[in-house]
Amino acid sequence: TTEGISTGQKTKSLICLKGSNGKLTWQRVRLGSTNAQPVANLTPPKGSIEFHHWRSEDKVVLQGIIDGFQAQYPGTKITQVITDSTNYQNLALSKVSVNPKAALVTVFRGQQFTDFSKANMMVDLSNERFVKQNVIQSALTPGTLNGKIYAVPYQSLFNNPIYNAELFQKQGWKVPTTWSQTLAFCKTAKAAGFIPFAWPGGTRGNAGQILNAFMMNSAPYATVLKNATDIDKGRADLTGDWFTGIAKQYKQMADAGCFPANATGYTDTVAPADFAAGKAAIYPTGTFGMSSVTKLNPAMAGKMKIFGLITTDSKPYYEGITNNTFILSVSTKASATDQKIANSFISYLATAPVAQEYAVGTSQHVSVINVDYSANPDLLNTSDIMGKKLLLAPRFLFLNQGVVRDKLEDALIAIVGGADITKTLADTSKIIKQGLGA
């Protein structure tokens, strides 16, 4: 019954539903919050605003979209203000709070969204028709607080391994669907002279993407949430059975030869390069990494596919990871006129043709209904993950990034590098407790 709400992109798609009388009927998917069709964008007033975000790699594509918007509405101007992601996470709130022209602002999922909420910096968008009808309902979760929608996640990412489909076919490999198959694949691929997983252990941010997969089937979701929250708040540490079990599976992958030689020094500069060159079978970060690969080797376009990293031999709770990011908000510090301009531009981005322009141009799936990905083969070839049972990236349940998440991810990286599990988790737990003031 949730198939149409949580997966897929087309409002004309059909699913089979069973009624209370047991009768089976075909029904259109319900992607948005209502069964209504998507709506056109809002008309903005004249004026100028700033659009604050962190994606410099999207600057050219976004400027093309802005140019189209400004041409359609003469007298309305939008200026991009771009900061690198690290400084954006640290400084955006303080900068935007004293800049009324910063009417359109992106926020990161997790701590930054929470901080903006506490500062009452985001306009409530819950009643906007384009939010209810143009955005896939399940994608709105990271922008929702206490039942109200304060921001619209624009990108729909899939934090699952990308694999070289052509290489798999040539080598006669099957995509692993269980934990045992994954470990066996690593041994086979390594014996054939390939790096099984081009895992960037030297770059914490992307090295941590596989933590999502290890968490998703480690326990029922309610237990995962409780365990992560308890660690995040200092009520539990990393030496407990749950996290120790995850650490042991990291070591199992290392022992099976899944990771590159010198994995802890293998960066996210080398990883996509080896994958693009055909030296590695799998690049385990996510769909967002595909554009880097095709820039390094345009011949890789159309050869990448995606699979969920399953860490159990039993029936999995989930088959893959999704994450909705680049969350668009309207600042409460902006004037009423500027808020209307910002709201109008978000609604413009949330129309299928514009969202398609963004998606194809940036190689990013989007959270907007009825987008056609056929013009970008990499997006098209990885869209099948949308039909799986997906979990919103649980790695970000650790809200305390600097004190908790960074430290525990460093511990997992060290264990892959050969550090003792028991000692590493105990030592890291002490560091985390000190950082939390426990």
Side-chain angles (χ1 to χ4, degrees):
T1 55
T2 59
E3 182 82 11
I5 294 174
S6 59
T7 66
Q9 294 282 351
K10 300 288 185 181
T11 55
K12 293 182 180 179
S13 299
L14 299 175
I15 55 169
C16 185
L17 294 180
K18 182 183 289 188
S20 57
N21 61 355
K23 183 179 179 181
L24 299 175
T25 58
W26 286 109
Q27 295 187 23
R28 293 190 188 279
V29 298
R30 180 185 167 195
L31 293 171
S33 303
T34 73
N35 283 316
Q37 291 293 303
V39 295
N41 64 276
L42 301 166
T43 301
K46 289 181 171 58
S48 63
I49 64 167
E50 294 175 358
F51 174 17
H52 286 242
H53 68 88
W54 50 272
R55 285 192 62 84
S56 58
E57 59 268 51
D58 293 352
K59 180 181 179 180
V60 173
V61 174
L62 283 171
Q63 192 57 51
I65 292 172
I66 289 170
D67 291 344
F69 182 76
Q70 293 176 161
Q72 188 173 336
Y73 301 106
T76 302
K77 183 175 176 58
I78 297 174
T79 301
Q80 295 185 73
V81 178
I82 304 174
T83 309
D84 69 88
S85 60
T86 300
N87 282 318
Y88 194 86
Q89 290 186 80
N90 294 333
L91 303 173
L93 178 58
S94 59
K95 286 186 174 182
V96 171
S97 63
V98 295
N99 180 4
K101 296 308 293 183
L104 178 55
V105 182
T106 60
V107 292
F108 279 87
R109 178 188 163 202
Q111 190 63 52
Q112 190 173 58
F113 177 80
T114 300
D115 292 342
F116 268 70
S117 300
K118 289 179 178 177
N120 191 30
M121 285 289 294
M122 298 182 290
V123 173
D124 182 0
L125 304 176
S126 303
N127 293 323
E128 296 291 345
R129 286 183 66 195
F130 74 87
V131 174
K132 295 178 180 178
Q133 295 171 219
N134 293 34
V135 183
I136 296 172
Q137 183 179 4
S138 62
L140 290 167
T141 301
T144 303
L145 181 66
N146 298 326
K148 293 184 178 181
I149 301 164
Y150 290 97
V152 177
Y154 197 55
Q155 293 178 345
S156 191
L157 308 181
F158 302 96
N159 309 64
N160 305 280
I162 302 298
Y163 70 95
N164 184 331
E166 183 181 64
L167 181 61
F168 266 69
Q169 184 177 19
K170 285 181 178 179
Q171 295 295 320
W173 298 331
K174 290 185 178 180
V175 177
T177 57
T178 68
W179 182 237
S180 294
Q181 288 176 14
T182 297
L183 299 179
F185 161 77
C186 289
K187 294 174 182 177
T188 300
K190 185 175 182 180
F194 297 95
I195 300 169
F197 283 75
W199 179 66
T203 306
R204 182 201 293 135
N206 271 338
Q209 295 298 350
I210 64 169
L211 178 57
N212 288 305
F214 283 93
M215 291 176 68
M216 76 174 175
N217 287 311
S218 61
Y221 179 72
T223 303
V224 172
L225 174 60
K226 181 182 185 305
N227 290 341
T229 303
D230 285 348
I231 291 172
D232 204 45
K233 294 184 178 297
R235 296 193 292 259
D237 63 29
L238 307 184
T239 63
D241 291 344
W242 176 70
F243 197 83
T244 298
I246 290 174
K248 286 179 178 178
Q249 288 193 301
Y250 268 74
K251 188 175 189 306
Q252 279 184 279
M253 283 191 76
D255 290 345
C258 295
F259 301 128
N262 186 31
T264 58
Y266 189 79
T267 69
D268 205 30
T269 301
V270 181
D274 279 350
F275 181 67
K279 297 177 182 178
I282 296 168
Y283 181 35
T285 55
T287 49
F288 57 86
M290 294 189 299
S291 59
S292 297
V293 173
T294 52
K295 284 176 183 175
L296 290 165
N297 180 11
M300 278 292 288
K303 296 177 182 176
M304 291 178 280
K305 292 189 177 182
I306 191 169
F307 74 102
L309 177 56
I310 305 300
T311 59
T312 179
D313 287 332
S314 304
K315 184 178 179 180
Y317 298 109
Y318 297 94
E319 299 171 278
I321 297 295
T322 184
N323 197 21
N324 303 105
T325 60
F326 204 54
I327 307 176
L328 304 167
S329 72
V330 178
S331 172
T332 55
K333 301 297 183 181
S335 68
T337 297
D338 289 355
Q339 287 180 9
K340 288 179 180 178
I341 295 173
N343 206 30
S344 172
F345 188 63
I346 297 176
S347 73
Y348 183 73
L349 289 169
T351 58
V354 175
Q356 182 175 321
E357 181 181 348
Y358 176 83
V360 170
T362 62
S363 286
Q364 296 280 357
H365 293 91
V366 289
S367 304
V368 177
I369 291 169
N370 289 348
V371 172
D372 184 350
Y373 295 116
S374 58
N376 186 314
D378 295 317
L379 292 179
L380 191 64
N381 287 346
T382 52
S383 293
D384 61 339
I385 194 75
M386 296 176 183
K388 308 293 185 181
K389 188 177 182 183
L390 304 176
L391 177 65
L392 188 66
R395 172 194 185 198
F396 299 100
L397 293 175
F398 298 108
L399 296 178
N400 199 329
Q401 181 179 345
V403 174
V404 178
R405 193 173 84 219
D406 286 352
K407 299 298 186 293
L408 66 84
E409 289 182 1
D410 287 345
L412 293 170
I413 291 169
I415 288 166
V416 169
D420 179 75
I421 293 176
T422 302
K423 185 177 188 306
T424 301
L425 296 186
D427 290 348
T428 304
S429 294
K430 291 178 183 177
I431 293 170
I432 289 174
K433 285 186 176 180
Q434 289 172 356
L436 291 172

